[in-house]
Amino acid sequence: MNILGIETSCDETAAAVVENGKTILSDVIASSQALHIETGGIVPETAARRQIESILPAINQALHKSGLTKEGIDAIAVTHGPGLIGSLLVGVETAKTLALSWKKPIVPVNHLVAHIYANFINESPQFPAIALVVSGGHTDFVLVKNHGAVEYLGGTRDDAAGEAFDKTARLVGLSYPGGPAISKAAAPAIESRSEKLSLFPRPMLDSGTLELSFSGLKTAVLNYTNENPSYDTNLIAAEVQEAIVDTLVSKSVFAVEKYKPKSFLLAGGVSANLRLRGKILQALGRETNVYVPEPKHSTDNAAMIAVASFYNYKPTPWRDIIANPSLSIED
Ligand code: KG4
Ligand code: ZN
């Protein structure tokens, strides 16, 4: 079964063809990130306009690279939320139009659930699994009992982990997106920082829940930089990264001890972070099977959309598919 996946929830326009949920025949990503570097963050209208320009070329290229024609496509899968409404609409309406004119089934896909399925590319994780989805807008722990059976367990009360990277990066003059910028700036300072003298807080570590909070981090960074105008950017970057990574690792250990899953699935843009990947593996690798996507499938892509739809194959009449910017991970 060959599924054409389409992803346009934010600033990436992606199209991919995946065979039987495993074999990636093509995987195309056009990004408007360069435009957002100029503005220091995403301007939704700019992202949506770029989506419109990129969507048909991306789909065309994905088909061409797959070696298939439209006759060889069995279904179309598209992200219907959550995300930016203008961006989502481009993918959803394009997918509906194609499905109608090509006479193909169409499957709406939850972007957050799809991030989890990036771990099923070339792998077969066992259930029950605990997944931690860490992206620009979400930090969610979920119990995945089976395909299509996702239960929310807890997450951030305020800022998402990716948002914490992006906002603190901006405070110290690092470019958008903040995650990769912080991670790069942190590298030279990771070893030299003092483990015992963490500059920034790790709230709610002992809450006995899977709740987290990252909004205090940007205030702490702001206060520190105001009080120490000649601050060392590399050190701040390392401290920010350690604060976020320590918090995510500690809550992940709590989740694994509590639910004793067969697998732990790290997912979402922040899972591209090497420090997080290393520390999660170190902390959980002995107790459970830890899965982390390839970095290119951690961040937004369409292969994960096609894979998610293969394992949750629910063709839906096109009239019933509506872009939903605030779709929850359980929907
Ligand atoms: O999943 P994603 O590509 O888009 C959303 O669904 O939001 O995640 C984007 C987020 C951004 O906040 C970005 O800063 C973060 O993922 N990110 C990283 C890294 N690469 C991307 N954060 C930390 N380290 C990275 N290497
Ligand atoms: Zn995403």
Side-chain angles (χ1 to χ4, degrees), residues 103-139:
K103 299 185 177 57
K104 308 283 179 189
I106 175 167
V107 182
V109 173
N110 182 314
H111 179 82
L112 298 171
V113 172
H115 269 303
I116 297 172
Y117 277 90
N119 286 297
F120 285 73
I121 299 171
N122 300 320
E123 299 280 2
S124 303
Q126 300 277 296
F127 298 121
I130 291 284
L132 168 58
V133 182
V134 268
S135 69
H138 291 82
T139 302

mmCIF file of all heavy atoms in Angstrom, residues 103-139:
data_model
loop_
_atom_site.group_PDB
_atom_site.id
_atom_site.type_symbol
_atom_site.label_atom_id
_atom_site.label_comp_id
_atom_site.label_asym_id
_atom_site.label_seq_id
_atom_site.Cartn_x
_atom_site.Cartn_y
_atom_site.Cartn_z
ATOM 1 N N LYS A 103 -9.696 10.444 -7.173
ATOM 2 C CA LYS A 103 -10.574 9.377 -6.647
ATOM 3 C C LYS A 103 -9.823 8.435 -5.709
ATOM 4 O O LYS A 103 -9.799 7.205 -5.887
ATOM 5 C CB LYS A 103 -11.228 8.597 -7.781
ATOM 6 C CG LYS A 103 -12.112 9.482 -8.670
ATOM 7 C CD LYS A 103 -12.842 8.640 -9.701
ATOM 8 C CE LYS A 103 -13.790 9.471 -10.547
ATOM 9 N NZ LYS A 103 -13.151 10.590 -11.251
ATOM 10 N N LYS A 104 -9.184 9.031 -4.697
ATOM 11 C CA LYS A 104 -8.424 8.243 -3.707
ATOM 12 C C LYS A 104 -9.025 8.461 -2.325
ATOM 13 O O LYS A 104 -9.525 9.557 -2.034
ATOM 14 C CB LYS A 104 -6.957 8.707 -3.643
ATOM 15 C CG LYS A 104 -6.237 8.762 -4.962
ATOM 16 C CD LYS A 104 -5.828 7.386 -5.445
ATOM 17 C CE LYS A 104 -5.117 7.504 -6.805
ATOM 18 N NZ LYS A 104 -4.872 6.220 -7.435
ATOM 19 N N PRO A 105 -8.894 7.455 -1.440
ATOM 20 C CA PRO A 105 -9.309 7.676 -0.051
ATOM 21 C C PRO A 105 -8.399 8.703 0.620
ATOM 22 O O PRO A 105 -7.217 8.810 0.262
ATOM 23 C CB PRO A 105 -9.126 6.299 0.606
ATOM 24 C CG PRO A 105 -8.662 5.372 -0.445
ATOM 25 C CD PRO A 105 -8.381 6.129 -1.704
ATOM 26 N N ILE A 106 -8.951 9.418 1.581
ATOM 27 C CA ILE A 106 -8.142 10.412 2.303
ATOM 28 C C ILE A 106 -8.258 10.152 3.805
ATOM 29 O O ILE A 106 -9.336 9.875 4.324
ATOM 30 C CB ILE A 106 -8.557 11.856 1.896
ATOM 31 C CG1 ILE A 106 -7.813 12.894 2.739
ATOM 32 C CG2 ILE A 106 -10.029 12.088 1.965
ATOM 33 C CD1 ILE A 106 -7.924 14.317 2.198
ATOM 34 N N VAL A 107 -7.099 10.231 4.486
ATOM 35 C CA VAL A 107 -7.030 9.922 5.916
ATOM 36 C C VAL A 107 -6.492 11.149 6.665
ATOM 37 O O VAL A 107 -5.374 11.584 6.411
ATOM 38 C CB VAL A 107 -6.071 8.719 6.168
ATOM 39 C CG1 VAL A 107 -6.033 8.354 7.648
ATOM 40 C CG2 VAL A 107 -6.460 7.527 5.314
ATOM 41 N N PRO A 108 -7.303 11.716 7.580
ATOM 42 C CA PRO A 108 -6.788 12.843 8.371
ATOM 43 C C PRO A 108 -5.860 12.328 9.470
ATOM 44 O O PRO A 108 -6.129 11.290 10.073
ATOM 45 C CB PRO A 108 -8.058 13.453 8.982
ATOM 46 C CG PRO A 108 -9.056 12.338 9.007
ATOM 47 C CD PRO A 108 -8.692 11.376 7.906
ATOM 48 N N VAL A 109 -4.767 13.038 9.721
ATOM 49 C CA VAL A 109 -3.768 12.573 10.687
ATOM 50 C C VAL A 109 -3.486 13.665 11.713
ATOM 51 O O VAL A 109 -3.356 14.846 11.376
ATOM 52 C CB VAL A 109 -2.453 12.184 9.950
ATOM 53 C CG1 VAL A 109 -1.342 11.857 10.935
ATOM 54 C CG2 VAL A 109 -2.689 10.999 9.016
ATOM 55 N N ASN A 110 -3.399 13.230 12.971
ATOM 56 C CA ASN A 110 -3.042 14.132 14.070
ATOM 57 C C ASN A 110 -1.520 14.312 14.068
ATOM 58 O O ASN A 110 -0.763 13.348 14.189
ATOM 59 C CB ASN A 110 -3.523 13.493 15.377
ATOM 60 C CG ASN A 110 -3.248 14.350 16.590
ATOM 61 O OD1 ASN A 110 -2.163 14.885 16.756
ATOM 62 N ND2 ASN A 110 -4.232 14.455 17.467
ATOM 63 N N HIS A 111 -1.077 15.553 13.952
ATOM 64 C CA HIS A 111 0.355 15.847 13.838
ATOM 65 C C HIS A 111 1.161 15.308 15.029
ATOM 66 O O HIS A 111 2.274 14.791 14.853
ATOM 67 C CB HIS A 111 0.525 17.373 13.736
ATOM 68 C CG HIS A 111 1.931 17.841 13.643
ATOM 69 N ND1 HIS A 111 2.634 17.862 12.470
ATOM 70 C CD2 HIS A 111 2.784 18.296 14.589
ATOM 71 C CE1 HIS A 111 3.852 18.315 12.691
ATOM 72 N NE2 HIS A 111 3.974 18.589 13.973
ATOM 73 N N LEU A 112 0.603 15.399 16.223
ATOM 74 C CA LEU A 112 1.335 14.972 17.423
ATOM 75 C C LEU A 112 1.474 13.451 17.455
ATOM 76 O O LEU A 112 2.525 12.908 17.796
ATOM 77 C CB LEU A 112 0.619 15.462 18.686
ATOM 78 C CG LEU A 112 0.520 16.978 18.786
ATOM 79 C CD1 LEU A 112 -0.397 17.376 19.939
ATOM 80 C CD2 LEU A 112 1.892 17.594 18.967
ATOM 81 N N VAL A 113 0.394 12.774 17.070
ATOM 82 C CA VAL A 113 0.443 11.306 16.999
ATOM 83 C C VAL A 113 1.443 10.894 15.915
ATOM 84 O O VAL A 113 2.223 9.949 16.092
ATOM 85 C CB VAL A 113 -0.967 10.737 16.717
ATOM 86 C CG1 VAL A 113 -0.908 9.248 16.435
ATOM 87 C CG2 VAL A 113 -1.900 11.034 17.890
ATOM 88 N N ALA A 114 1.440 11.635 14.813
ATOM 89 C CA ALA A 114 2.372 11.305 13.719
ATOM 90 C C ALA A 114 3.827 11.417 14.184
ATOM 91 O O ALA A 114 4.668 10.602 13.794
ATOM 92 C CB ALA A 114 2.119 12.217 12.528
ATOM 93 N N HIS A 115 4.129 12.408 15.025
ATOM 94 C CA HIS A 115 5.510 12.498 15.542
ATOM 95 C C HIS A 115 5.903 11.176 16.213
ATOM 96 O O HIS A 115 7.021 10.695 16.046
ATOM 97 C CB HIS A 115 5.638 13.643 16.550
ATOM 98 C CG HIS A 115 6.033 14.949 15.910
ATOM 99 N ND1 HIS A 115 7.185 15.086 15.163
ATOM 100 C CD2 HIS A 115 5.456 16.181 15.935
ATOM 101 C CE1 HIS A 115 7.287 16.347 14.736
ATOM 102 N NE2 HIS A 115 6.242 17.032 15.180
ATOM 103 N N ILE A 116 4.972 10.588 16.960
ATOM 104 C CA ILE A 116 5.263 9.305 17.632
ATOM 105 C C ILE A 116 5.590 8.233 16.587
ATOM 106 O O ILE A 116 6.511 7.432 16.756
ATOM 107 C CB ILE A 116 4.059 8.873 18.496
ATOM 108 C CG1 ILE A 116 3.805 9.895 19.604
ATOM 109 C CG2 ILE A 116 4.289 7.472 19.075
ATOM 110 C CD1 ILE A 116 2.512 9.646 20.390
ATOM 111 N N TYR A 117 4.853 8.258 15.476
ATOM 112 C CA TYR A 117 5.039 7.232 14.438
ATOM 113 C C TYR A 117 6.341 7.395 13.652
ATOM 114 O O TYR A 117 6.716 6.497 12.882
ATOM 115 C CB TYR A 117 3.820 7.166 13.522
ATOM 116 C CG TYR A 117 2.743 6.307 14.152
ATOM 117 C CD1 TYR A 117 1.785 6.871 14.975
ATOM 118 C CD2 TYR A 117 2.745 4.923 13.981
ATOM 119 C CE1 TYR A 117 0.831 6.088 15.602
ATOM 120 C CE2 TYR A 117 1.798 4.128 14.599
ATOM 121 C CZ TYR A 117 0.842 4.716 15.407
ATOM 122 O OH TYR A 117 -0.092 3.924 16.031
ATOM 123 N N ALA A 118 7.038 8.498 13.835
ATOM 124 C CA ALA A 118 8.381 8.602 13.235
ATOM 125 C C ALA A 118 9.253 7.479 13.783
ATOM 126 O O ALA A 118 10.228 7.066 13.152
ATOM 127 C CB ALA A 118 8.991 9.964 13.544
ATOM 128 N N ASN A 119 8.883 6.953 14.963
ATOM 129 C CA ASN A 119 9.636 5.843 15.554
ATOM 130 C C ASN A 119 9.287 4.487 14.939
ATOM 131 O O ASN A 119 9.906 3.479 15.288
ATOM 132 C CB ASN A 119 9.391 5.795 17.059
ATOM 133 C CG ASN A 119 10.133 6.906 17.763
ATOM 134 O OD1 ASN A 119 11.359 6.942 17.722
ATOM 135 N ND2 ASN A 119 9.412 7.830 18.380
ATOM 136 N N PHE A 120 8.286 4.446 14.047
ATOM 137 C CA PHE A 120 7.914 3.179 13.404
ATOM 138 C C PHE A 120 8.535 3.034 12.017
ATOM 139 O O PHE A 120 8.326 2.023 11.346
ATOM 140 C CB PHE A 120 6.384 3.045 13.323
ATOM 141 C CG PHE A 120 5.756 2.720 14.651
ATOM 142 C CD1 PHE A 120 5.662 3.677 15.656
ATOM 143 C CD2 PHE A 120 5.284 1.447 14.916
ATOM 144 C CE1 PHE A 120 5.099 3.376 16.887
ATOM 145 C CE2 PHE A 120 4.711 1.136 16.150
ATOM 146 C CZ PHE A 120 4.619 2.105 17.131
ATOM 147 N N ILE A 121 9.285 4.072 11.599
ATOM 148 C CA ILE A 121 9.969 3.968 10.309
ATOM 149 C C ILE A 121 11.127 2.989 10.521
ATOM 150 O O ILE A 121 12.002 3.239 11.354
ATOM 151 C CB ILE A 121 10.507 5.356 9.864
ATOM 152 C CG1 ILE A 121 9.358 6.360 9.704
ATOM 153 C CG2 ILE A 121 11.334 5.235 8.590
ATOM 154 C CD1 ILE A 121 9.791 7.805 9.473
ATOM 155 N N ASN A 122 11.099 1.884 9.835
ATOM 156 C CA ASN A 122 12.135 0.830 9.959
ATOM 157 C C ASN A 122 12.197 0.150 11.322
ATOM 158 O O ASN A 122 13.155 -0.553 11.621
ATOM 159 C CB ASN A 122 13.546 1.375 9.644
ATOM 160 C CG ASN A 122 13.624 1.910 8.237
ATOM 161 O OD1 ASN A 122 13.073 1.313 7.328
ATOM 162 N ND2 ASN A 122 14.285 3.044 8.069
ATOM 163 N N GLU A 123 11.251 0.393 12.190
ATOM 164 C CA GLU A 123 11.270 -0.229 13.523
ATOM 165 C C GLU A 123 9.870 -0.741 13.851
ATOM 166 O O GLU A 123 8.888 -0.306 13.259
ATOM 167 C CB GLU A 123 11.656 0.803 14.608
ATOM 168 C CG GLU A 123 13.019 1.425 14.447
ATOM 169 C CD GLU A 123 14.135 0.526 14.957
ATOM 170 O OE1 GLU A 123 13.858 -0.600 15.410
ATOM 171 O OE2 GLU A 123 15.299 0.956 14.878
ATOM 172 N N SER A 124 9.771 -1.636 14.841
ATOM 173 C CA SER A 124 8.469 -2.120 15.291
ATOM 174 C C SER A 124 8.402 -2.096 16.807
ATOM 175 O O SER A 124 8.475 -3.140 17.466
ATOM 176 C CB SER A 124 8.236 -3.551 14.794
ATOM 177 O OG SER A 124 8.332 -3.599 13.402
ATOM 178 N N PRO A 125 8.276 -0.905 17.403
ATOM 179 C CA PRO A 125 8.219 -0.824 18.867
ATOM 180 C C PRO A 125 7.029 -1.604 19.430
ATOM 181 O O PRO A 125 5.974 -1.682 18.803
ATOM 182 C CB PRO A 125 8.044 0.678 19.130
ATOM 183 C CG PRO A 125 8.512 1.356 17.890
ATOM 184 C CD PRO A 125 8.192 0.416 16.768
ATOM 185 N N GLN A 126 7.234 -2.179 20.599
ATOM 186 C CA GLN A 126 6.185 -2.988 21.244
ATOM 187 C C GLN A 126 5.300 -2.105 22.121
ATOM 188 O O GLN A 126 5.773 -1.134 22.715
ATOM 189 C CB GLN A 126 6.845 -4.034 22.145
ATOM 190 C CG GLN A 126 7.769 -5.004 21.425
ATOM 191 C CD GLN A 126 6.996 -6.139 20.802
ATOM 192 O OE1 GLN A 126 6.385 -6.929 21.502
ATOM 193 N NE2 GLN A 126 7.011 -6.204 19.481
ATOM 194 N N PHE A 127 4.044 -2.496 22.242
ATOM 195 C CA PHE A 127 3.107 -1.824 23.155
ATOM 196 C C PHE A 127 3.007 -2.617 24.451
ATOM 197 O O PHE A 127 3.227 -3.835 24.416
ATOM 198 C CB PHE A 127 1.728 -1.727 22.512
ATOM 199 C CG PHE A 127 1.707 -0.909 21.257
ATOM 200 C CD1 PHE A 127 1.300 -1.454 20.039
ATOM 201 C CD2 PHE A 127 2.111 0.425 21.285
ATOM 202 C CE1 PHE A 127 1.272 -0.694 18.886
ATOM 203 C CE2 PHE A 127 2.093 1.194 20.113
ATOM 204 C CZ PHE A 127 1.672 0.623 18.925
ATOM 205 N N PRO A 128 2.622 -2.008 25.560
ATOM 206 C CA PRO A 128 2.349 -0.581 25.686
ATOM 207 C C PRO A 128 3.652 0.223 25.651
ATOM 208 O O PRO A 128 4.687 -0.253 26.082
ATOM 209 C CB PRO A 128 1.675 -0.478 27.052
ATOM 210 C CG PRO A 128 2.186 -1.647 27.823
ATOM 211 C CD PRO A 128 2.424 -2.737 26.825
ATOM 212 N N ALA A 129 3.524 1.444 25.123
ATOM 213 C CA ALA A 129 4.682 2.329 25.050
ATOM 214 C C ALA A 129 4.362 3.636 25.766
ATOM 215 O O ALA A 129 3.202 4.054 25.805
ATOM 216 C CB ALA A 129 5.010 2.615 23.593
ATOM 217 N N ILE A 130 5.390 4.242 26.321
ATOM 218 C CA ILE A 130 5.257 5.626 26.782
ATOM 219 C C ILE A 130 5.906 6.477 25.706
ATOM 220 O O ILE A 130 7.013 6.179 25.252
ATOM 221 C CB ILE A 130 5.999 5.863 28.119
ATOM 222 C CG1 ILE A 130 5.314 5.136 29.271
ATOM 223 C CG2 ILE A 130 6.124 7.355 28.425
ATOM 224 C CD1 ILE A 130 4.039 5.784 29.769
ATOM 225 N N ALA A 131 5.203 7.524 25.271
ATOM 226 C CA ALA A 131 5.807 8.442 24.307
ATOM 227 C C ALA A 131 5.921 9.819 24.944
ATOM 228 O O ALA A 131 5.028 10.245 25.684
ATOM 229 C CB ALA A 131 4.960 8.511 23.044
ATOM 230 N N LEU A 132 7.030 10.463 24.678
ATOM 231 C CA LEU A 132 7.206 11.864 25.072
ATOM 232 C C LEU A 132 7.320 12.666 23.781
ATOM 233 O O LEU A 132 8.276 12.497 23.016
ATOM 234 C CB LEU A 132 8.466 12.030 25.933
ATOM 235 C CG LEU A 132 8.913 13.481 26.174
ATOM 236 C CD1 LEU A 132 7.823 14.318 26.842
ATOM 237 C CD2 LEU A 132 10.191 13.520 27.024
ATOM 238 N N VAL A 133 6.306 13.492 23.524
ATOM 239 C CA VAL A 133 6.312 14.334 22.325
ATOM 240 C C VAL A 133 6.764 15.731 22.736
ATOM 241 O O VAL A 133 6.070 16.421 23.494
ATOM 242 C CB VAL A 133 4.912 14.408 21.680
ATOM 243 C CG1 VAL A 133 4.957 15.250 20.405
ATOM 244 C CG2 VAL A 133 4.390 13.009 21.363
ATOM 245 N N VAL A 134 7.945 16.106 22.264
ATOM 246 C CA VAL A 134 8.500 17.419 22.619
ATOM 247 C C VAL A 134 8.700 18.222 21.343
ATOM 248 O O VAL A 134 9.597 17.941 20.557
ATOM 249 C CB VAL A 134 9.838 17.300 23.402
ATOM 250 C CG1 VAL A 134 9.607 17.282 24.884
ATOM 251 C CG2 VAL A 134 10.643 16.066 22.991
ATOM 252 N N SER A 135 7.843 19.224 21.155
ATOM 253 C CA SER A 135 7.928 20.001 19.920
ATOM 254 C C SER A 135 7.902 21.486 20.249
ATOM 255 O O SER A 135 8.058 21.887 21.402
ATOM 256 C CB SER A 135 6.772 19.616 18.998
ATOM 257 O OG SER A 135 5.565 20.082 19.543
ATOM 258 N N GLY A 136 7.687 22.292 19.199
ATOM 259 C CA GLY A 136 7.665 23.735 19.416
ATOM 260 C C GLY A 136 6.447 24.180 20.206
ATOM 261 O O GLY A 136 6.485 25.181 20.924
ATOM 262 N N GLY A 137 5.353 23.444 20.110
ATOM 263 C CA GLY A 137 4.132 23.854 20.787
ATOM 264 C C GLY A 137 3.642 22.884 21.843
ATOM 265 O O GLY A 137 2.686 23.183 22.553
ATOM 266 N N HIS A 138 4.287 21.706 21.948
ATOM 267 C CA HIS A 138 3.764 20.681 22.859
ATOM 268 C C HIS A 138 4.859 19.972 23.629
ATOM 269 O O HIS A 138 5.966 19.800 23.130
ATOM 270 C CB HIS A 138 2.948 19.642 22.071
ATOM 271 C CG HIS A 138 1.672 20.208 21.545
ATOM 272 N ND1 HIS A 138 1.628 20.930 20.386
ATOM 273 C CD2 HIS A 138 0.419 20.209 22.058
ATOM 274 C CE1 HIS A 138 0.389 21.351 20.191
ATOM 275 N NE2 HIS A 138 -0.363 20.933 21.185
ATOM 276 N N THR A 139 4.508 19.554 24.845
ATOM 277 C CA THR A 139 5.356 18.668 25.640
ATOM 278 C C THR A 139 4.374 17.727 26.313
ATOM 279 O O THR A 139 3.779 18.064 27.329
ATOM 280 C CB THR A 139 6.157 19.474 26.682
ATOM 281 O OG1 THR A 139 6.930 20.449 25.973
ATOM 282 C CG2 THR A 139 7.106 18.579 27.469
#
